[in-house]
Amino acid sequence: MEEEYVLRYTESGGLTIAYQVWGSSKDTLVYVPGMISHLEAGLEDSEYLSWIRELSKSFRLIIFDKRGQGLSDRDSSAPNLEERMDDISAIVAAENLDRFFLFGLSEGAAISLVYAATHTTKVKSVAVFGGTAKFTRVDDYKFVPEYEVMVENMLSSWGTGKSGHYFCPQKMPEKKAFFAKLERMVCNPKTLQGILELLSKIDVRPTLPDINVPVLVLHSRDDATISKLNGRYLADNIPGAKYIEYPIGGHLPWYEERKNIVKDLTIFFSKTGNNIHSADRNLATILF
């Protein structure tokens, strides 16, 4: 593995953030992972490794473990969305990136969309997979479960591999041992509880109309974790967004539809790479 990527560290808010750099393309893609992320343990899944390898053929791929997870510092407090975005900015500064593409998976989708809305001079375009504008149900957003259901589904069995039944049921029980180890490597239950509390507070609906970089929304029709209705909502509420829905594959993009997803990402980013957008200072002021 050492010959395929470089592992680096940078600092964000007094914490160490670990990230990998794959490939050597002139075009950089910053990859914001979902809730379960461990830079090295994840590579034990051959299909995930193939996904990363295929992306790195077209892009200089940078993927990181968010604070509190994986190889990054285990912060005991629950980070907010702004601190999550600070982690991206720290990597951007460390790598001296001028302009780059952004990809967000699951939880990383909401982070990526807000980051793109507030850093339009940096982000060329953004793509998301399995994303949602909000993670817990309220009266005016019913595409996701109640907070208590999310906690019960994830926290009660953490470390046993049960998350695989939500993320990729078509791969279970084949992948159960892998997901059990991955869960234990990512974080402990207390840290997970803090992450779930963060997710319950995320609501990027007000931000969506203000995103003025090209956006590609990708979703699986059979996603059992984040319903396809969430992907459709994002596409409907982001001006000019393009939407692609895959018939199979679940919540994780590196299984059945991997090659099609890589192809669609490569085409989208190649077509939007030269677009230049002005920064939305009003949105930045509201957020910060």
Side-chain angles (χ1 to χ4, degrees):
M1 296 291 82
E2 291 79 7
E3 296 181 355
E4 292 192 70
Y5 66 84
V6 177
L7 179 67
R8 294 174 180 162
Y9 297 93
T10 189
E11 185 176 304
S12 176
L15 298 173
T16 299
I17 306 299
Y19 64 98
Q20 294 171 338
V21 182
W22 294 73
S24 57
S25 171
K26 63 180 180 62
D27 294 317
T28 298
L29 174 60
V30 177
Y31 183 145
V32 186
M35 185 181 71
I36 296 184
S37 167
H38 192 291
L39 288 174
E40 294 190 348
L43 299 176
E44 295 180 17
D45 184 338
S46 61
E47 291 171 285
Y48 171 77
L49 178 57
S50 294
W51 155 255
I52 294 297
R53 284 171 170 165
E54 288 174 30
L55 285 173
S56 66
K57 291 177 183 177
S58 300
F59 307 99
R60 180 173 178 261
L61 182 68
I62 297 177
I63 182 169
F64 64 100
D65 280 336
K66 299 188 291 293
R67 60 179 67 197
Q69 299 174 232
L71 298 180
S72 294
D73 273 348
R74 304 301 180 90
D75 186 9
S76 59
S77 62
N80 56 43
L81 196 62
E82 286 74 21
E83 289 171 325
R84 293 290 204 206
M85 293 195 295
D86 287 344
D87 295 348
I88 300 175
S89 294
I91 294 170
V92 169
E95 292 297 314
N96 195 29
L97 299 181
D98 181 20
R99 300 185 71 233
F100 54 92
F101 299 113
L102 194 59
F103 174 76
L105 170 64
S106 189
E107 173 198 355
I111 299 169
S112 298
L113 291 171
V114 178
Y115 192 92
T118 53
H119 297 77
T120 51
T121 59
K122 284 288 189 179
V123 178
K124 295 180 181 181
S125 53
V126 57
V128 299
F129 186 94
T132 179
K134 186 167 174 57
F135 282 87
T136 52
R137 182 184 302 242
V138 291
D139 288 342
D140 60 346
Y141 196 88
K142 299 183 178 181
F143 308 139
V144 286
E146 292 84 358
Y147 174 68
E148 293 76 16
V149 174
M150 180 175 68
V151 171
E152 174 62 24
N153 287 343
M154 298 301 298
L155 197 58
S156 63
S157 58
W158 190 248
T160 69
K162 188 178 179 181
S163 65
H165 288 286
Y166 304 112
F167 297 142
C168 55
Q170 77 278 19
K171 294 290 183 177
M172 299 296 279
E174 172 192 347
K175 299 281 187 181
K176 185 174 182 180
F178 166 74
F179 275 97
K181 179 179 179 180
L182 183 62
E183 289 169 10
R184 296 191 295 267
M185 295 288 285
V186 168
C187 65
N188 59 39
K190 183 178 180 181
T191 300
L192 175 65
Q193 186 172 8
I195 293 172
L196 295 177
E197 289 174 1
L198 165 67
L199 292 183
S200 72
K201 298 173 183 176
I202 289 178
D203 186 351
V204 302
R205 289 178 292 171
T207 302
L208 301 181
D210 294 304
I211 300 175
N212 62 355
V213 300
V215 176
L216 174 64
V217 179
L218 309 173
H219 219 101
S220 289
R221 194 173 303 156
D222 64 351
D223 190 334
T225 303
I226 301 293
S227 164
K228 61 183 178 294
L229 298 177
N230 293 278
R232 295 175 183 178
Y233 179 92
L234 291 175
D236 288 342
N237 288 275
I238 298 173
K242 179 180 179 181
Y243 181 70
I244 300 176
E245 190 172 287
Y246 302 94
I248 56 174
H251 190 59
L252 302 176
W254 47 84
Y255 292 129
E256 287 82 358
E257 293 283 358
R258 179 180 69 246
K259 291 187 180 296
N260 287 330
I261 294 168
V262 171
K263 180 186 69 174
D264 291 334
L265 288 172
T266 303
I267 292 173
F268 171 72
F269 287 135
S270 67
K271 289 182 177 180
T272 60
N274 294 321
N275 290 342
I276 298 176
H277 298 263
S278 60
D280 189 335
R281 299 181 181 276
N282 182 56
L283 178 59
T285 300
I286 292 172
L287 282 170
F288 300 106

